[in-house]
């Protein structure tokens, strides 16, 4: 019992429930808790860019083989494209079978589009070319200041390649960056102590601002999306993990702290640093983790992909817009491109939807207003599915590269190192450098 109450995931879970209750019974006070959630997310986000930079640079510099860097990146992109295509297709099939918007009979002309004006205006300008150009930062300082993961990753890869080319001349700088990485992860351990407060504030605001009652009118859509996301994780990602020699349920238990943090904050970025450290402890090589996890946050959005196709068909059904099979394939083709830009800008999911509806043509963009009230409640499932998907992707690419310690992973998932992992994440102890978790635990 003492171990349960002192674990991070238990504290976050209690905080999420408490926040939901406060938001429900005292909406005004719950909505006033918004700064707590936003403050915690800002604390984590201020560390993401430097953590990505130090991890990627040290990983590539130590890797040495630049061909391997390109190979890992290419394998990651291939995996991302396959899995997001599967997710988009699943969302499309569920939307056709369940038909969550059927019977609503909404006239698009009666919808007030003021609340979605910023998304639709951005949606018209969102293009593949814009997304690719956005990878290149205006300047390095701007990329770090805005915390743009893809831009920071781009610069980090260039730095890592340059440092690897310097070989012995760059050893001093490499040690400095590696030391900075250890400091940053120690800061993350400190920040995670206030994760329950952040989760409490974010959940209290969400429920207090939007209200549980707003879920009832679109309950079928929400139920369809949550069920689809769950089945995608258990079946699709479960089969992928089984092919890698591991079980999905043990993996979910291993990253439970990250899942509950994302549940409370509705942001998968809030768990990015912890996920990177967890994947290294699981047995994935540091270079693969450094490349695949940050890339996945822009290219491997499984939960967002399911949501995009499901929401598109929902709007069509709610407004009685007939969609032919050819148009369904067109929706899938458009989303294969536009979904990759969903994480590049604030409100990316809505902007991507707006761009998709504009490209298809016959589905009214005004239908986005139907999703405003419940989008926040669906963002948790999107973010959690994205998080799990990126963890699985890291395992798969590490396995392909023959840089995955399967026995170590099985030991960790069988709780051999659970106590040390939980203590470290809570900021109580430092991991024992160069000593496997099992040996370190035995020495204590």
């Amino acid at each position: 019992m003492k171990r349960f109450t002192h674990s991070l995931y238990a504290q976050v879970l209690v905080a999420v429930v408490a926040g939901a209750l406060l938001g429900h019974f005292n909406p005004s006070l719950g909505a006033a808790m918004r700064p707590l959630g936003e403050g915690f997310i800002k604390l984590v986000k201020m560390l993401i860019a430097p953590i990505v930079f130090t991890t990627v640079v040290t990983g590539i510099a130590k890797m040495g083989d630049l061909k391997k860097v390109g190979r890992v990146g290419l394998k990651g992109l291939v995996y991302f494209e396959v899995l997001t295509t599967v997710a988009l297709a699943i969302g499309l099939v569920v939307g056709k079978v369940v038909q969550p918007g059927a019977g609503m009979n909404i006239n698009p002309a009666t919808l007030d589009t003021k609340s979605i004006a910023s998304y639709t205006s951005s949606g018209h300008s969102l293009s593949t070319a814009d997304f690719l150009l956005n990878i290149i930062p205006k300047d390095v300082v701007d990329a770090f200041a805005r915390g743009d993961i893809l831009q920071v990753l781009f610069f980090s890869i260039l730095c890592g390649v340059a440092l690897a080319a310097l070989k012995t001349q760059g050893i001093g700088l490499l040690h400095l960056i590696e030391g900075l990485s250890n400091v940053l992860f120690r800061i993350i351990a400190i920040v995670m102590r206030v994760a329950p407060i952040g989760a409490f504030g974010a959940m209290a605001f969400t429920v207090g601002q939007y209200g549980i009652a707003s879920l009832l009118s679109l309950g079928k859509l929400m139920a369809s999306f949550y069920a689809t996301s769950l089945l995608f994780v258990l079946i699709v990602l479960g089969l992928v993990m089984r092919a890698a020699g591991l079980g999905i349920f043990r993996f979910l238990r291993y990253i439970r702290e990250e899942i509950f943090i994302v549940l409370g904050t509705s942001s998968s970025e809030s768990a990015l640093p912890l996920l990177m450290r967890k994947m290294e402890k699981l047995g994935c090589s540091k270079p693969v983790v450094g490349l695949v996890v940050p890339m996945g946050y822009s290219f491997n959005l499984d939960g967002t992909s399911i949501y995009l196709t499901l929401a598109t068909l929902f709007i069509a059904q709610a407004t009685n817009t007939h969609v032919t099979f050819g148009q369904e394939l067109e929706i899938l083709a458009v989303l294969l491109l536009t979904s990759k830009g969903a994480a590049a800008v604030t409100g990316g999911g809505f902007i991507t939807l707006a761009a998709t509806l504009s490209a298809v043509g016959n589905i009214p963009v005004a239908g986005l207003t139907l999703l405003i009230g419940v989008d926040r409640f669906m963002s948790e499932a999107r973010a959690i599915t994205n998080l799990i998907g990126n963890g699985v992707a890291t395992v798969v690419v590490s396995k392909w590269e023959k840089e995955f310690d399967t026995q170590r992973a099985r030991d960790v998932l069988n709780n051999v190192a659970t106590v040390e992992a939980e203590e470290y994440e809570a900021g109580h102890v430092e991991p024992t450098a160069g000593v496997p978790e099992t040996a370190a635990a035995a020495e204590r």
Side-chain angles (χ1 to χ4, degrees):
M1 183 63 183
K2 182 179 179 181
R3 179 180 167 187
F4 179 83
T5 56
H6 282 75
S7 65
L8 180 62
Y9 86 92
Q11 295 171 7
V12 172
L13 178 59
V14 171
V16 166
V17 174
L21 292 174
L22 176 63
H24 178 63
F25 292 108
N26 194 334
S28 59
L29 182 58
M33 296 294 107
R34 181 176 185 174
L36 296 178
E38 290 187 345
F40 171 71
I41 293 176
K42 289 182 71 175
L43 279 172
V44 177
K45 282 190 173 183
M46 76 175 181
L47 297 166
I48 288 178
I51 282 177
V52 169
F53 174 77
T54 56
T55 304
V56 172
V57 170
T58 54
I60 292 177
K62 286 184 174 181
M63 191 184 298
D65 185 2
L66 300 184
K67 290 182 180 179
K68 182 178 179 180
V69 176
R71 189 171 66 244
V72 170
L74 181 60
K75 287 180 178 179
L77 289 174
V78 170
Y79 175 87
F80 297 157
E81 191 60 40
V82 171
L83 263 289
T84 51
T85 301
V86 171
L88 287 168
I90 289 175
L92 196 66
V93 170
V94 171
K96 280 179 62 67
V97 173
V98 179
Q99 297 191 349
M104 296 185 72
N105 302 318
I106 293 173
N107 182 358
T110 63
L111 297 173
D112 183 5
T113 59
K114 292 179 181 178
S115 59
I116 62 167
S118 60
Y119 301 115
T120 53
S121 60
S122 300
H124 287 296
S125 62
L126 186 68
S127 66
T128 304
D130 292 332
F131 173 68
L132 293 175
L133 287 174
N134 187 63
I135 295 175
I136 305 172
K138 182 175 64 176
D139 57 67
V140 176
V141 176
D142 180 68
F144 278 86
R146 293 192 298 110
D148 190 310
I149 295 178
L150 208 51
Q151 291 185 354
V152 172
L153 178 62
F154 177 74
F155 176 71
S156 303
I157 292 173
L158 292 178
C159 285
V161 169
L163 198 57
L166 288 173
K167 297 181 180 177
T168 56
Q169 291 177 295
I171 290 179
L173 181 57
L174 177 59
H175 288 164
L176 178 63
I177 295 175
E178 194 170 20
L180 178 59
S181 179
N182 293 332
V183 172
L184 290 170
F185 275 107
R186 184 62 184 175
I187 296 173
I188 278 291
I190 296 171
V191 170
M192 282 303 119
R193 295 184 182 217
V194 299
I197 298 175
F200 169 79
M203 186 57 68
F205 164 74
T206 299
V207 178
Q209 180 74 19
Y210 300 102
I212 298 294
S214 66
L215 307 182
L216 300 179
S217 59
L218 299 177
K220 192 174 182 181
L221 172 64
M222 284 200 58
S224 301
F225 176 60
Y226 270 80
T228 305
S229 298
L230 179 62
L231 291 175
F232 178 84
V233 169
L234 298 182
I235 297 177
V236 178
L237 296 183
L239 289 174
V240 172
M241 284 295 277
R242 177 172 290 186
L246 302 175
I248 189 65
F249 289 103
R250 291 185 183 274
F251 179 71
L252 294 178
R253 185 171 182 270
Y254 177 62
I255 62 169
R256 61 189 181 275
E257 288 89 355
E258 291 73 22
I259 291 175
F260 281 115
I261 289 171
V262 171
L263 173 65
T265 61
S266 299
S267 170
S268 56
E269 285 188 353
S270 62
L272 186 150
L274 286 181
L275 180 65
M276 294 178 73
R277 179 53 60 95
K278 276 284 185 75
M279 298 315 297
E280 286 182 36
K281 292 174 73 67
L282 188 64
C284 300
S285 70
K286 187 171 184 176
V288 174
V289 172
L291 283 173
V292 174
V293 174
M295 282 174 58
Y297 270 70
S298 290
F299 295 103
N300 190 39
L301 307 174
D302 298 330
T304 303
S305 298
I306 294 171
Y307 169 77
L308 290 173
T309 44
L310 189 57
T312 300
L313 287 188
F314 167 79
I315 292 172
Q317 294 159 4
T319 56
N320 295 318
T321 303
H322 178 65
V323 179
T324 65
F325 180 70
Q327 288 171 326
E328 290 172 354
L329 294 180
E330 183 183 359
I331 291 170
L332 191 61
V334 170
L335 282 172
L336 282 174
L337 296 175
T338 57
S339 62
K340 300 302 179 291
V345 289
T346 303
F350 257 53
I351 293 174
T352 301
L353 264 180
T356 304
L357 297 181
S358 298
V360 175
N362 66 322
I363 303 176
V365 179
L368 286 173
T369 58
L370 300 173
L371 301 173
I372 289 287
V374 296
D375 182 72
R376 177 82 183 192
F377 290 99
M378 290 191 284
S379 63
E380 286 92 347
R382 288 200 301 265
I384 290 172
T385 306
N386 293 341
L387 173 83
I388 297 169
N390 286 326
V392 173
T394 309
V395 171
V396 171
V397 177
S398 294
K399 191 86 171 179
W400 284 351
E401 280 295 298
K402 295 180 172 57
E403 292 190 4
F404 181 68
D405 190 337
T406 305
Q407 187 55 51
R408 175 189 174 95
R410 287 172 179 163
D411 289 343
V412 171
L413 296 184
N414 285 326
N415 299 321
V416 173
T418 297
V419 174
E420 181 175 277
E422 288 184 348
E423 287 179 343
Y424 171 67
E425 289 153 15
H428 299 311
V429 297
E430 287 287 352
T432 305
V435 182
E437 279 85 345
T438 50
E443 288 175 4
R444 288 202 303 272

